[in-house]
Amino acid sequence: MLEIQDVWKRYYHNANQRPRTLKNAVADRFRYWADREAYWALQGVNLEIAEGQTVGLIGNNGAGKSTLLRLIGGLSRPTRGKITRRGRLGSLLELGAGFSPEFTGRESVITGSIIAGLTRKEALARLEKVVEFAELEDFIDSPLRTYSSGMFVRLAFSTEINLDPDILLVDEVLAVGDMGFQKKCLNHIIGMKEQGKTIIVVSHALEQIQLVCDEVVWLEHGKVRAQGGTQEIIERYKNRVFEKTAGLSAPVAPSSARRLNPVPVLSTGGVSQAETHSTTTATAPARENRTGVQELEFEPTLLYDEGGQPVKKIGSGDPLIVQLNYTVHQPVVEPIFVVTLRNHDGLKCYEVNSQEDGASVGLVEGSHSLNLFLGALPLLPGTYSLSVGAFSQNWEYTYEYLHQTCSFQVDGPTTGSGIVHIPHRWQGD
């Protein structure tokens, strides 16, 4: 069990901070210390985490997530307030504490385990399991100075998670090693959860939070903004990110139209996934519709029918292919693409993003295209618009967002009111 009662944490910073000698400090009559300004990293945080719960901490950089984890882990003390915890603590915050470059991997595991609270006998009993998990059997008797950074982190990670803690603190370390080892680490965390361990996770990878956490706490400016079910709080957090970035506008020169190339595919329904289309052109989106930092810049969004022909009008229930064309001015890793469908009143009808669908584009630079295949649009007749966006992996800032980048008509002999057309019939006695 973990209880956090009215916790505040204060740090100091000096806007005029500069390297100085002791002589200068004395000569300035300690003005350096007098000019310090207080910064509250946490402000009145109250949380109660039950035994066996897995809780995620989310929020922008500077929200206080890592600070709170450090206080829970005993690496720092609250300025005010109280933290109560029961059980052995395992911390994936400062990996490799107690490791020395001159120690062998074996010596490092034993030393690190003893520092974490195990006896030498307990450390030796866990040694083989740690080495096996880290997949470093061939290097365990080599000095750490000969390890790559990835090998070092894998050994440190394995040492910590094999301490059999009652409470585990995890801060952005589930991306260690290659993809296979990352999956192994994540599965181990899930296994600990199933064993009834209490786990607190800080990560900007929201899909990881959704996978392992029962509950999410959203921190903003050092305060708890919201706490509740994982899906609900993450959706509220994403909407908040979209709202904040909607005000970041910058003038951008229109991009020229170009011939379409074979593109990656993001599919949401049963449409034939042809990867090339005929040449077509469109007008670049208006500048006032663009927001973001423009490291990635969208060109016109193009619409196609199931046969790959450009369309501006579809029938109710027809499929639609949305092609996102974009240029990356400097290398960007795994941008998240978002497509939002709205009706003529601006009501959101549907929204999808590439991260949740597992559609990866990897490291991108230069000009690219990405197709979104919508299996069917059972919309009532009317005018609809699409907005498209590209976001950083942690959802903290917008590469570019285009509001109402294109529109299309839906026709059909449908009845009823609302947004979608649901096939129906009436039957009497």
Side-chain angles (χ1 to χ4, degrees):
M1 193 275 288
L2 180 66
E3 190 173 359
I4 300 167
Q5 299 173 296
D6 193 29
V7 166
W8 295 67
K9 181 61 180 178
R10 178 180 58 208
Y11 292 107
Y12 291 99
H13 71 276
N14 192 308
N16 300 315
Q17 187 173 357
R18 58 181 174 84
R20 59 174 59 241
T21 64
L22 178 60
K23 179 180 178 179
N24 287 336
V26 173
D28 289 344
R29 298 183 179 180
F30 301 101
R31 185 170 54 193
Y32 171 79
W33 302 105
D35 289 345
R36 293 185 309 166
E37 296 179 4
Y39 167 70
W40 290 97
L42 294 174
Q43 303 180 55
V45 174
N46 288 281
L47 293 173
E48 188 171 327
I49 300 174
E51 182 178 344
Q53 254 192 321
T54 301
V55 176
L57 301 180
I58 65 173
N60 293 340
N61 285 335
K65 308 182 298 298
S66 295
T67 298
L68 181 57
L69 234 58
R70 288 176 61 84
L71 296 183
I72 295 172
L75 299 178
S76 182
R77 293 183 178 180
T79 305
R80 298 206 300 264
K82 182 180 179 183
I83 296 178
T84 305
R85 65 172 189 262
R86 298 187 182 94
R88 173 182 284 174
L89 183 72
S91 173
L92 299 178
L93 305 183
E94 295 187 353
L95 292 176
F99 284 16
S100 168
E102 299 305 320
F103 284 2
T104 65
R106 185 184 306 274
E107 292 167 341
S108 298
V109 172
I110 295 171
T111 303
S113 299
I114 293 173
I115 289 175
L118 300 186
T119 65
R120 180 176 177 81
K121 183 177 180 180
E122 289 173 329
L124 289 171
R126 286 174 168 79
L127 178 61
E128 185 176 346
K129 189 176 179 181
V130 170
V131 176
E132 181 181 354
F133 189 91
E135 301 172 4
L136 292 172
E137 291 90 343
D138 295 338
F139 304 92
I140 195 61
D141 290 311
S142 300
L144 284 186
R145 55 182 166 77
T146 66
Y147 282 29
S148 68
S149 58
M151 292 165 64
F152 179 91
V153 172
R154 280 163 54 182
L155 187 65
F157 182 93
S158 183
T159 300
E160 289 291 341
I161 62 173
N162 281 288
L163 295 174
D164 193 27
D166 301 304
I167 302 173
L168 180 66
L169 308 180
V170 184
D171 188 5
E172 297 288 7
V173 296
L174 293 182
V176 296
D178 55 28
M179 290 186 65
F181 191 77
Q182 290 177 29
K183 185 175 181 181
K184 187 177 182 178
C185 295
L186 198 57
N187 287 338
H188 189 87
I189 298 294
I190 293 172
M192 294 181 68
K193 174 183 176 179
E194 292 172 349
Q195 294 170 20
K197 306 294 186 180
T198 303
I199 305 172
I200 305 171
V201 181
V202 166
S203 179
H204 287 296
L206 299 181
E207 70 279 4
Q208 291 181 353
I209 295 289
Q210 289 175 307
L211 183 62
V212 303
C213 295
D214 308 312
E215 190 172 286
V216 165
V217 176
W218 172 12
L219 292 175
E220 189 171 77
H221 303 304
K223 301 177 181 179
V224 175
R225 181 179 175 91
Q227 179 180 4
T230 300
Q231 192 61 39
E232 175 195 353
I233 302 301
I234 285 179
E235 286 301 317
R236 289 175 59 184
Y237 173 62
K238 285 185 186 177
N239 289 336
R240 173 64 171 169
V241 171
F242 293 154
E243 290 171 6
K244 289 174 67 177
T245 57
L248 299 174
S249 59
V252 179
S255 302
S256 60
R258 56 183 170 79
R259 184 173 180 83
L260 303 181
N261 298 315
V263 297
V265 172
L266 168 59
S267 176
T268 62
V271 178
S272 174
Q273 298 183 3
E275 293 190 340
T276 59
H277 302 295
S278 59
T279 303
T280 185
T281 60
T283 305
R287 293 184 183 185
E288 61 269 18
N289 288 347
R290 295 177 183 264
T291 60
V293 296
Q294 272 91 39
E295 291 178 13
L296 181 154
E297 184 179 346
F298 282 108
E299 297 186 19
T301 299
L302 305 175
L303 306 178
Y304 298 92
D305 63 17
E306 190 173 10
Q309 297 301 312
V311 293
K312 277 291 186 179
K313 183 183 295 186
I314 63 171
S316 179
D318 286 351
L320 183 68
I321 300 172
V322 181
Q323 184 174 84
L324 309 183
N325 300 305
Y326 61 96
T327 298
V328 181
H329 301 298
Q330 58 186 13
V332 169
V333 179
E334 295 286 5
I336 302 171
F337 292 94
V338 176
V339 175
T340 307
L341 172 67
R342 299 182 184 274
N343 68 3
H344 68 283
D345 292 324
L347 180 66
K348 183 194 294 184
C349 304
Y350 185 61
E351 184 173 84
V352 64
N353 74 69
S354 59
Q355 184 185 66
E356 290 181 348
D357 287 331
S360 170
V361 297
L363 176 67
V364 290
E365 185 176 16
S367 296
H368 298 271
S369 295
L370 179 67
N371 280 355
L372 170 64
F373 289 82
L374 299 171
L377 291 177
L379 300 170
L380 289 175
T383 301
Y384 296 83
S385 66
L386 290 172
S387 299
V388 300
F391 296 81
S392 65
Q393 265 295 295
N394 53 21
W395 294 95
E396 287 200 336
Y397 63 93
T398 308
Y399 293 126
E400 181 158 83
Y401 189 83
L402 295 184
H403 179 62
Q404 295 183 341
T405 179
C406 65
S407 60
F408 62 96
Q409 288 287 130
V410 175
D411 286 342
T414 59
T415 60
S417 61
I419 298 174
V420 300
H421 171 66
I422 300 175
H424 62 277
R425 62 190 178 92
W426 301 88
Q427 183 177 346
D429 293 336

